[in-house]
Amino acid sequence: MTTLRETDQMDAEKPVSKSRTRRAVLAATAGNMLEWYDLTSYGFFAASISKAFFPAGDPTVSLMIAFGTFGVSYLVRPLGALVLGTYADRVGRKAALLLTIQLMLIGTLLIAVMPTYESIGMAAPVLILLARLLQGFSAGGEFGSATAFLAEQDPGRRGFMASWQFASQGAATLLAATFGTVLSLSLTGAQLDSWGWRIPFIVGLLIGPVGYLIRRHVPETTEFTDVASAGEVAAAPVRQVLRNEKLPVLLMIGALAMSTAVAYVIIYMPTYAHEVLGLPSSAGFIGAAVSGVALTTLTPLVGHLSDRIGRTKMMLIAGIAMILSIYPLFLLLSGSPSLLVMGVVMFILGVLKACYFGALPALMSQAFPTATRSTGLSLSYNIGVMSFGGFAPVVITWMIAATGSHLSPSLYIMAAGALSIASLLAARRFLALR
């Protein structure tokens, strides 16, 4: 397995156009931002969506069904990873990026205009589920294609370039949380439940076309074109990954666990603030926005530092810090719930997450060769997200209902963190990743 230093130095002397770099970042992050903006909006407004499409006698059951639909869409992500990851490795990163953003837009449109259960009965929740499945399939190929596209732009700065993939997730969280704050403060609860929740999805329809146009006008990565010119494009990337790269896939799934758990806890926080802590919904949205600011600004800096001092060292320090601090943070929040405490806790959570996942996309890209990079990235990322993220809100909702403990989110993150630490240590030893 090629080490981090060897791979990054291989093409580091090649000049890289700054304008090309900027366009590549915009092209990759625009689509990823749409994906995360949409799923974050769904999670943020789950309480309103549950009333519109999943009415039940018990509000907790209704909310769990809404979050369950959120999670079910992640079951199809590995299929999207296999199909679209293979497409990116055989046809090109750019072609896959154009396809994924079109599929995501269709799903967003369906959610934005879908009639409620009261209007069309059982067809409403079924069609919402189909829209989420389409988005899940699209998202299954987005991460691998976009991360490979970014990481291959400048081999000497893989950490910095690939970090923009996750920085865009922070920007999406910030944008969705801003809409959530404004809407929750300016609309009544009845207005929010009736039509206000649709506004973020309608705005998402404006992001997608811009991203599509940017992606149409960026060139393919040099690394992929070199592989294609040499006739070394993998004929069956999935078979090659499953046959030769099982260990990297498993270890990258583990490395992703904590980052994914924290991301989906942040998505759950507006519901947690209102339904569990009794705070206004706006407190949860403001807290999520604070995390979004930290993630957007710090993640590229962490990626840049990882190019200098190594990925796993930074991630291990941040991971251990997260495990040690998350329980006290939730203990503080549950004991003294307020907007100020929520903001402080979410800022610390955002900083620690940025310090961990800023280097993660580059680390994952280093684990796979160019010929199968998109497939390997897509498969490991989406199995990890499906396992530790998609069902996190419904699992935490169930944990709180079953145990009565408001500290359940912290226990979930600690368990995922332990797995990530073990996976990083194994990656250092068996894959020589630093």
Side-chain angles (χ1 to χ4, degrees), residues 59-417:
T60 300
V61 173
S62 179
L63 184 61
M64 288 183 68
I65 294 173
F67 277 134
T69 303
F70 177 86
V72 165
S73 68
Y74 286 78
L75 296 178
V76 78
R77 279 196 172 208
L79 176 61
L82 294 174
V83 175
L84 298 174
T86 297
Y87 184 68
D89 279 331
R90 297 189 66 182
V91 180
R93 320 310 191 199
K94 177 181 175 178
L97 290 175
L98 288 171
L99 179 58
T100 57
I101 199 168
Q102 292 177 74
L103 294 175
M104 184 64 68
L105 270 172
I106 294 172
T108 302
L109 175 63
L110 289 174
I111 294 174
V113 303
M114 188 68 65
T116 63
Y117 180 91
E118 185 179 347
S119 299
I120 61 173
M122 279 301 297
V126 171
L127 291 172
I128 283 291
L129 176 60
L130 290 176
R132 291 292 302 150
L133 290 174
L134 178 62
Q135 289 182 319
F137 180 84
S138 169
E142 172 68 28
F143 176 84
S145 302
T147 302
F149 183 80
L150 285 169
E152 292 171 2
Q153 295 296 323
D154 189 346
R157 296 194 300 163
R158 284 194 200 276
F160 176 72
M161 292 299 299
S163 69
W164 286 100
Q165 172 74 346
F166 278 174
S168 66
Q169 294 182 11
T173 300
L174 175 59
L175 182 60
T178 300
F179 272 108
T181 302
V182 172
L183 292 174
S184 63
L185 290 175
S186 59
L187 300 179
T188 65
Q191 290 173 325
L192 194 61
D193 291 342
S194 176
W195 53 267
W197 65 268
R198 296 183 187 271
I199 294 176
F201 294 97
I202 294 171
V203 172
L205 294 174
L206 304 177
I207 300 174
V210 175
Y212 178 81
L213 289 174
I214 295 173
R215 288 182 172 187
R216 279 194 64 184
H217 295 92
V218 293
E220 184 57 80
T221 70
T222 302
E223 282 192 45
F224 179 81
T225 54
D226 288 346
V227 167
S229 298
E232 297 175 357
V233 172
V238 173
R239 183 171 60 194
Q240 187 169 327
V241 168
L242 295 179
R243 182 178 60 198
N244 302 328
E245 297 156 21
K246 291 187 288 292
L247 181 60
V249 168
L250 290 173
L251 293 182
M252 292 306 103
I253 290 172
L256 189 70
M258 181 168 63
S259 175
T260 298
V262 175
Y264 287 83
V265 166
I266 291 174
I267 292 173
Y268 176 71
M269 288 309 288
T271 301
Y272 178 79
H274 183 65
E275 303 291 336
V276 179
L277 300 181
L279 293 171
S281 297
S282 57
F285 288 125
I286 291 171
V290 170
S291 286
V293 171
L295 292 170
T296 305
T297 56
L298 292 179
T299 300
L301 297 177
V302 174
H304 173 70
L305 284 175
S306 76
D307 286 325
R308 295 176 175 270
I309 66 176
R311 331 279 190 218
T312 56
K313 182 186 298 184
M314 296 184 66
M315 293 173 68
L316 284 168
I317 293 172
I320 292 170
M322 179 73 78
I323 291 173
L324 294 177
S325 61
I326 192 65
Y327 188 87
L329 287 173
F330 270 86
L331 189 64
L332 172 64
L333 181 58
S334 63
S336 306
S338 68
L339 176 58
L340 176 61
V341 174
M342 173 68 76
V344 171
V345 168
M346 295 298 282
F347 176 75
I348 296 173
L349 198 61
V351 169
L352 291 175
K353 177 173 169 58
C355 290
Y356 182 84
F357 87 160
L360 182 57
L363 181 77
M364 295 178 70
S365 71
Q366 293 292 150
F368 303 98
T370 302
T372 59
R373 181 169 290 142
S374 185
T375 302
L377 282 168
S378 297
L379 195 60
S380 55
Y381 176 79
N382 287 289
I383 292 176
V385 168
M386 178 187 70
S387 302
F388 305 105
F391 288 99
V394 71
V395 169
I396 293 171
T397 300
W398 173 81
M399 289 173 64
I400 293 172
T403 66
S405 173
H406 295 176
L407 304 177
S408 296
S410 66
L411 301 178
Y412 187 82
I413 291 174
M414 290 171 69

